Amino acid sequence: MSSEKSLSENAEEYLEVLYKLSLKKRPVKTTKISNMLNISPASVTQMIKKLEKDGYVHYSPYKGVTLTEEGYKIASNITRKHRLLERFLHDVLKIKKEKVHDQACEMEHVLSDDAERALCQLLENPDECPDDKELIPVCDFQFKTCEECRMRRQEEVNEVGKRDKNLVSITDMKKKEKGKVSFIRGDYKVIRRLMDMGITMGAEIGILEVAPFKGPVELLVRGSNLALGRDIAKNVFVEIIKENTPESKGALAHG
């Protein structure tokens, strides 16, 4: 399989678009990718087949395209860098919202992981990009909280290491999905508030309902039903528990 560093900027753009279009885990039609990138359908199909050969996507001509675990990891990382750069351009350099996207597109491919981490700390761990309020994906470093990252700020990324598993925000989970809390974004006040509700590191949760129009997320944790506002729910990241695994049998046992 190709490594992340061997990917061209063009290939990264495709994965980034797929990340944006497939967060609800539905296959993405090549025509939708074509329209979003303003590239001919034939060229899109050619690139998708290459990405499939390299192990980054699954492709069915009649169903569409989905990211593999490796593809998701890279797509999430490049999307995170893009959205952090948008925050920097807008919040620090005071560039207008309508101009930050194109500028971030040019910069995201050359931003190192160490620079990404330093940028996140400088911006105090933002959770949304400024132009369209899209969620900034979680980092893939081996931290459980932003507080831990700050305490270990002297360590470089290669010393910290990266996670083996992909994490998703609970706001991007579907009804009846289950997950294990693996990262919480925010300061100690956010962590304390969640701990008081039983949402701690390693806790298993089940999604009961995700209200539309940015409404609350209803979930089951430690046998209790909770309604969590989007402002805090979007910063709780989990490792999805696959069905028919030992973990999945216990996650909703009290439901």
Side-chain angles (χ1 to χ4, degrees):
M1 181 185 295
S2 300
S3 68
E4 179 177 346
K5 291 184 179 180
S6 70
L7 277 173
S8 67
E9 291 185 10
N10 188 34
E12 288 183 341
E13 290 288 347
Y14 273 81
L15 294 179
E16 190 176 359
V17 165
L18 280 166
Y19 176 87
K20 186 181 179 87
L21 295 176
S22 66
L23 273 181
K24 297 304 179 185
K25 303 175 182 64
R26 300 187 186 97
V28 179
K29 299 291 186 182
T30 53
T31 51
K32 199 163 187 178
I33 302 171
S34 172
N35 292 335
M36 195 160 180
L37 289 174
N38 196 25
I39 296 173
S40 72
S43 295
V44 169
T45 300
Q46 184 178 6
M47 174 58 83
I48 292 300
K49 287 181 177 179
K50 181 181 185 304
L51 290 172
E52 182 180 41
K53 182 180 178 181
D54 291 340
Y56 298 118
V57 304
H58 296 300
Y59 172 54
S60 169
Y62 301 104
K63 293 183 179 179
V65 189
T66 56
L67 291 165
T68 62
E69 287 294 314
E70 181 65 17
Y72 182 94
K73 181 182 288 292
I74 296 171
S76 174
N77 182 253
I78 196 69
T79 300
R80 172 178 168 79
K81 289 179 177 180
H82 177 102
R83 293 175 183 175
L84 280 174
L85 283 164
E86 286 190 344
R87 284 253 66 109
F88 174 73
L89 291 165
H90 178 264
D91 297 356
V92 180
L93 301 187
K94 307 303 180 184
I95 293 176
K96 294 180 179 178
K97 287 182 182 180
E98 58 268 23
K99 294 185 177 181
V100 298
H101 177 79
D102 289 342
Q103 186 67 58
C105 279
E106 296 179 13
M107 301 168 68
E108 64 192 30
H109 307 287
V110 296
L111 188 71
S112 70
D113 290 344
D114 282 305
E116 170 209 327
R117 183 184 172 202
L119 187 60
C120 185
Q121 291 180 349
L122 173 69
L123 297 170
E124 298 183 345
N125 319 111
D127 53 23
E128 292 181 344
C129 55
D131 58 338
D132 55 13
K133 302 300 180 183
E134 291 281 359
L135 181 72
I136 296 175
V138 65
C139 72
D140 61 355
F141 310 129
Q142 285 188 5
F143 297 118
K144 295 181 179 179
T145 65
C146 296
E147 290 290 308
E148 181 185 351
C149 179
R150 277 191 286 271
M151 287 190 295
R152 297 171 61 185
R153 67 170 64 240
Q154 300 303 319
E155 297 179 48
E156 295 183 355
V157 166
N158 62 350
E159 297 175 282
V160 172
K162 295 194 173 186
R163 298 189 192 96
D164 295 326
K165 302 291 185 179
N166 291 321
L167 306 184
V168 300
S169 167
I170 61 174
T171 55
D172 288 326
M173 295 173 70
K174 296 187 296 185
K175 185 176 180 179
K176 295 185 179 180
E177 270 195 316
K178 306 153 191 174
K180 181 172 67 176
V181 178
S182 299
F183 186 87
I184 296 174
R185 177 161 54 199
D187 59 21
Y188 72 94
K189 293 180 181 178
V190 173
I191 296 170
R192 172 56 60 186
R193 179 179 169 190
L194 288 165
M195 286 180 65
D196 290 343
M197 292 185 284
I199 301 175
T200 57
M201 213 57 59
E204 294 178 3
I205 65 171
I207 300 299
L208 301 176
E209 196 69 57
V210 180
F213 308 112
K214 297 190 180 297
V217 178
E218 295 180 29
L219 51 90
L220 181 66
V221 58
R222 302 185 190 280
S224 298
N225 290 16
L226 298 175
L228 207 58
R230 289 288 179 112
D231 60 328
I232 191 168
K234 65 187 177 184
N235 289 313
V236 179
F237 294 86
V238 304
E239 176 188 335
I240 297 294
I241 297 174
K242 303 296 184 182
E243 293 294 338
N244 301 319
T245 63
E247 293 96 332
S248 69
K249 294 177 181 178
L252 294 182
H254 300 286

